[in-house]
Amino acid sequence: MLIIGIAGGTGSGKTTVVNQIIDELKNEEVDVISQDSYYMDTSHLSFEERKKINFDHPKSIDFELLVAHLKDLKAGKNVMQPVYSFKEHNRTGEFIEVHPRKVVIVEGILILAHADIRDMFDIKIYVHADSDERLIRRLKRDIADRGRDLEEVLWRYQTTLKPMHNQFIEPTKEFADIIIPTNRYNTVAVDIVQTIIKDRLF
């Protein structure tokens, strides 16, 4: 199994890069796991309490479960991935069954910040975009798809997102094998990753 980690700040374009990488592959032996599915279970908290959680800090992620799931997948076992609701700031209680594949892509803002996860990646990719562009993308996404209002998004950006990015996310560039800027389509970088995956698949 080839495990690829794709990190980068919120709104940096990770999902776009993932889609570019797998677009031409269209192979059932490639699967994508999102770090977002592994936010800690916060069912014991009220909705108002959950809204105040710093979701950009490594402690908000259940890395232990993610590591266990990746190990199980490498061992040929199916895993039950939690389903997370951004509108409720919590897991839904539902699960998605994930099967072992030849290639697994793990994407998320903090996946290179955790040594145990980082050590499991055969290829480490960091997707870079400037802060203004990331904020604009975050505003559009959170308001349109996640039920946030402008005030909440800007509050989160100022109090947690920006300082956490500077402290925990930006420094993980040093661990990346490939850095992809998303202010333009980086054909060479994407082609390199696609070639490596194709070699493993075929």
Side-chain angles (χ1 to χ4, degrees):
M1 176 184 287
L2 184 74
I3 304 180
I4 301 171
I6 300 183
T10 183
S12 62
K14 294 183 298 299
T15 300
T16 300
V17 170
V18 169
N19 290 337
Q20 289 171 350
I21 290 172
I22 66 176
D23 185 48
E24 294 181 17
L25 299 173
K26 293 183 174 59
N27 190 295
E28 65 180 14
E29 288 302 315
V30 181
D31 210 346
V32 179
I33 291 178
S34 173
Q35 167 207 282
D36 293 346
S37 298
Y38 292 85
Y39 279 116
M40 291 289 190
D41 183 8
T42 55
S43 301
H44 59 290
L45 301 176
S46 69
F47 179 73
E48 290 303 315
E49 288 173 322
R50 295 199 298 269
K51 283 175 64 175
K52 298 175 183 177
I53 294 173
N54 181 355
F55 290 102
D56 295 281
H57 192 285
K59 288 184 178 179
S60 68
I61 308 299
D62 191 347
F63 282 115
E64 186 176 340
L65 180 62
L66 180 52
V67 168
H69 279 184
L70 290 177
K71 287 181 177 179
D72 282 346
L73 288 171
K74 287 199 76 165
K77 303 175 183 176
N78 296 347
V79 300
M80 301 303 290
Q81 176 180 289
V83 176
Y84 185 82
S85 167
F86 285 96
K87 291 185 177 181
E88 296 299 322
H89 300 285
N90 197 18
R91 297 181 187 177
T92 65
E94 299 177 348
F95 297 89
I96 296 174
E97 188 170 10
V98 179
H99 304 274
R101 305 294 187 204
K102 289 183 180 177
V103 178
V104 173
I105 298 174
V106 184
E107 66 87 16
I109 62 174
L110 292 163
I111 58 169
L112 294 184
H114 192 279
D116 291 344
I117 292 287
R118 194 168 62 236
D119 290 344
M120 297 192 73
F121 298 143
D122 300 293
I123 305 172
K124 296 178 286 292
I125 298 171
Y126 186 96
V127 181
H128 172 79
D130 68 65
S131 57
D132 289 343
E133 183 64 28
R134 290 190 296 103
L135 175 58
I136 291 169
R137 292 174 183 171
R138 177 72 177 240
L139 282 168
K140 290 180 178 178
R141 182 185 65 192
D142 281 10
I143 292 172
D145 302 333
R146 297 181 177 178
R148 312 281 197 267
D149 58 35
L150 178 61
E151 184 178 351
E152 181 183 355
V153 178
L154 291 177
W155 175 81
R156 281 194 176 276
Y157 181 82
Q158 293 170 329
T159 59
T160 60
L161 195 154
K162 186 176 181 180
M164 294 300 99
H165 177 85
N166 293 337
Q167 183 176 354
F168 294 110
I169 301 168
E170 185 78 14
T172 64
K173 273 184 179 179
E174 69 174 278
F175 301 116
D177 302 306
I178 300 172
I179 297 175
I180 301 180
T182 56
N183 57 336
R184 59 187 173 84
Y185 179 73
N186 194 312
T187 306
V188 174
V190 172
D191 284 350
I192 288 171
V193 178
Q194 284 180 332
T195 299
I196 294 170
I197 294 175
K198 286 178 181 177
D199 286 346
R200 181 62 62 97
L201 287 176
F202 309 112

